[in-house]
Amino acid sequence: MAVGNPTKSKSSLNASRQCRDPEVTRSQILNAAEEEFAREGFRAARTEAIAARTGVTKAKIYYYIESKEGLYRTVLERCSTELLPAIEQLNLDQLPPEQALEQFLRQFLTHTSSNPNIPPIMFLEAIQNKGKYYRDTANLLIKLVEILERGIAAGSFRPLDPRHTAVNILGTCVFYFGALENIKHLWKGKRLLSKEMLEQHTQEALNFILAGLRWQPTSP
Amino acid sequence: MAVGNPTKSKSSLNASRQCRDPEVTRSQILNAAEEEFAREGFRAARTEAIAARTGVTKAKIYYYIESKEGLYRTVLERCSTELLPAIEQLNLDQLPPEQALEQFLRQFLTHTSSNPNIPPIMFLEAIQNKGKYYRDTANLLIKLVEILERGIAAGSFRPLDPRHTAVNILGTCVFYFGALENIKHLWKGKRLLSKEMLEQHTQEALNFILAGLRWQPTSP
DNA sequence: GTCTATATAAAGATAGAC
DNA sequence: GTCTATCTTTATATAGAC
């Protein structure tokens, strides 16, 4: 196994075929696999389809990978390498809770907007495989719960259940990406992953979440 | 095809085997299929597994159904028969927007709590099949957008984008059910579908959403 | 390293006895 | 109506030529 250099370009479809650089080929396979797994999940994904997306034969795929399962694990790993470290670097513990939460959400939404395959992959992994191959989402949630607990204790946020609220917040952030095909009918003709729409989602989600945590006019 | 009487008991697993009533058998098959499709989606679901869940042979399944695809369509139809009519009956147009929204959400959350297979089925259908077999979720969203538009126009809610907000609201309601296996680690030892936890989710989601729409202390 | 051809296994669906 | 046995298709994975 040991596929891939995640830093290279990610637009995979119809990527320059017949390439001789093995590193590029590995990367192309990984990108195509990510697309396929994001649309089908592990079990329903077909190596044949991954080959077609990459623009090569099935046999060539198997020259580069160990197995479909190994490829899946590699894709999942690559999905989780960037976000958590980036969030750790923000040193959120040292910011006031409101700012910490906003920074967390901005980082998360920006990262997800740049990697819109991640939410469907995680949904499929959770639903189909019950997290057999991946459990890291929990770490994000725990970070979020900590921020909420701190903010509630400090009186910055209303008194709410931090765990349910963390789940509801994450749901607000990622549902958009998981339900693209269900919600697209609300914006006929618009591409939901365009820069414009992603910025709108980020801003609306952020406003909605922060408002949901503030003390209310009627009960201060 | 033409499977099922949706009104009968729904607990399928290990349901009384060797039953001779064809209506009961149909119902058992439908329930088992719903479970299997909710965990795997259409493509990855196996008729073999549905047979095993029902406690019968594959051949018996095929005596009662036309095909795997037909069974899937029937399951999806059954999922959508109850909620929308129930919401129509509430006559939400005639209530003030805040009350209309609260009624809508209570009905939705109650129905989802009683039918926790529906969110994963809809997630899988949207992600894997791009809504090929099902498009009704859009109707719910449209109803929600209408309520929000009315409330914004009346000044009951903050000025927000009604479509993004409808999506964010729905996300808050259903993410819990779609990501069960990702979030369960926050509540070690607790059953996330217990009556207690479902009531907590309903209440927390409701509070969170309504708070997110209200005018804020700093900008009234 | 890449291809064609193929072995092997799994899954949808059916035949035919009872 | 139900079962065992089987057909057919599809999919993972590999052999072997080039």
Side-chain angles (χ1 to χ4, degrees):
Chain A
M1 277 302 306
V3 187
N5 180 338
T7 61
K8 292 192 178 153
S9 161
K10 262 193 174 182
S11 62
S12 74
L13 237 37
N14 298 325
S16 58
R17 279 120 207 255
Q18 285 299 87
C19 173
R20 292 279 164 174
D21 180 340
E23 276 312 299
V24 172
T25 305
R26 278 179 216 283
S27 178
Q28 285 175 346
I29 292 174
L30 255 186
N31 293 336
E34 182 182 300
E35 300 272 344
E36 176 72 4
F37 287 130
R39 278 158 186 74
E40 300 292 345
F42 172 58
R43 197 165 186 295
R46 286 159 304 148
T47 53
E48 177 77 52
I50 294 171
R53 280 179 192 279
T54 316
V56 302
T57 62
K58 241 191 315 180
K60 187 166 172 178
I61 296 277
Y62 275 98
Y63 177 78
Y64 283 90
I65 72 168
E66 167 212 355
S67 67
K68 183 182 164 187
E69 184 179 323
L71 180 57
Y72 183 60
R73 287 184 193 278
T74 308
V75 167
L76 286 184
E77 267 170 45
R78 194 176 65 158
C79 284
S80 67
T81 46
E82 287 172 8
L83 181 56
L84 231 97
I87 284 182
E88 299 287 353
Q89 271 196 330
L90 294 174
N91 282 339
L92 298 177
D93 306 337
Q94 295 167 17
L95 263 55
E98 284 160 304
Q99 284 181 40
L101 180 62
E102 184 167 340
Q103 295 275 328
F104 178 102
L105 292 176
R106 281 197 189 281
Q107 184 71 254
F108 181 78
L109 286 162
T110 303
H111 182 261
T112 305
S113 294
S114 310
N115 300 272
N117 282 330
I118 294 183
I121 285 184
M122 295 306 164
F123 272 117
L124 293 170
E125 167 62 12
I127 295 174
Q128 295 183 312
N129 308 321
K130 299 191 189 302
K132 176 180 171 191
Y133 300 105
Y134 189 79
R135 301 180 180 275
D136 273 12
T137 319
N139 293 333
L140 270 182
L141 275 169
I142 288 167
K143 266 244 159 289
L144 198 45
V145 169
E146 283 169 7
I147 297 172
L148 292 171
E149 280 172 342
R150 202 151 57 84
I152 293 163
S156 321
F157 304 141
R158 297 187 291 124
L160 13 75
D161 181 305
R163 288 176 295 182
H164 280 284
T165 304
V167 169
N168 290 338
I169 289 174
L170 205 60
T172 303
C173 292
V174 302
F175 179 73
Y176 182 87
F177 299 92
L180 284 180
E181 297 293 332
N182 266 344
I183 69 178
K184 68 180 179 194
H185 304 98
L186 287 183
W187 288 275
K188 275 177 187 153
K190 286 225 178 184
R191 285 174 38 244
L192 267 61
L193 296 181
S194 67
K195 198 183 169 207
E196 180 199 359
M197 283 293 285
L198 289 172
E199 278 170 4
Q200 276 183 32
H201 169 62
T202 298
Q203 201 53 53
E204 289 287 331
L206 207 55
N207 290 342
F208 181 71
I209 291 165
L210 293 176
L213 302 185
R214 290 206 191 98
W215 291 90
Q216 296 295 302
T218 50
S219 60
Chain B
M1 275 303 304
V3 188
N5 181 337
T7 61
K8 290 191 181 152
S9 160
K10 262 193 173 183
S11 63
S12 72
L13 239 35
N14 298 328
S16 58
R17 279 119 206 256
Q18 286 298 86
C19 172
R20 292 279 164 174
D21 180 339
E23 277 313 299
V24 172
T25 305
R26 279 178 216 282
S27 178
Q28 286 174 344
I29 291 173
L30 256 186
N31 292 335
E34 183 181 300
E35 300 271 346
E36 175 72 3
F37 287 130
R39 279 159 185 74
E40 300 292 344
F42 173 58
R43 198 163 187 295
R46 285 160 303 148
T47 54
E48 179 78 53
I50 294 171
R53 280 179 192 278
T54 316
V56 302
T57 62
K58 238 192 318 181
K60 187 166 173 179
I61 296 276
Y62 275 98
Y63 177 77
Y64 282 90
I65 73 169
E66 168 210 356
S67 65
K68 182 184 166 187
E69 183 177 325
L71 179 58
Y72 182 60
R73 286 183 194 278
T74 308
V75 167
L76 286 183
E77 267 170 45
R78 194 176 65 158
C79 285
S80 67
T81 45
E82 288 172 7
L83 181 57
L84 230 96
I87 284 182
E88 299 288 353
Q89 271 196 329
L90 294 174
N91 283 340
L92 298 178
D93 306 337
Q94 295 168 17
L95 264 55
E98 286 159 303
Q99 284 180 39
L101 180 63
E102 184 167 341
Q103 296 275 329
F104 178 101
L105 292 176
R106 281 198 188 281
Q107 183 71 254
F108 181 77
L109 285 162
T110 302
H111 181 262
T112 305
S113 294
S114 310
N115 300 270
N117 281 331
I118 295 183
I121 286 184
M122 295 306 163
F123 272 117
L124 292 170
E125 167 63 12
I127 295 174
Q128 294 183 312
N129 309 320
K130 299 190 188 303
K132 175 180 172 190
Y133 300 105
Y134 189 80
R135 300 180 180 276
D136 273 12
T137 318
N139 293 332
L140 269 183
L141 274 169
I142 288 166
K143 266 245 161 287
L144 197 45
V145 168
E146 283 169 7
I147 296 173
L148 291 171
E149 281 172 342
R150 203 151 55 85
I152 294 163
S156 320
F157 304 141
R158 296 187 293 123
L160 14 75
D161 181 305
R163 289 176 293 182
H164 280 285
T165 305
V167 170
N168 291 337
I169 289 174
L170 205 58
T172 303
C173 291
V174 303
F175 179 73
Y176 181 88
F177 299 92
L180 284 180
E181 297 293 332
N182 266 344
I183 69 177
K184 69 179 179 194
H185 305 98
L186 287 184
W187 289 274
K188 275 176 188 157
K190 287 225 177 184
R191 284 174 38 244
L192 268 60
L193 296 180
S194 68
K195 199 183 168 206
E196 179 199 0
M197 283 293 286
L198 289 171
E199 278 170 4
Q200 276 183 31
H201 169 62
T202 298
Q203 201 53 52
E204 289 287 331
L206 207 56
N207 290 343
F208 182 71
I209 291 166
L210 293 176
L213 303 184
R214 289 206 191 97
W215 291 90
Q216 295 296 302
T218 50
S219 60

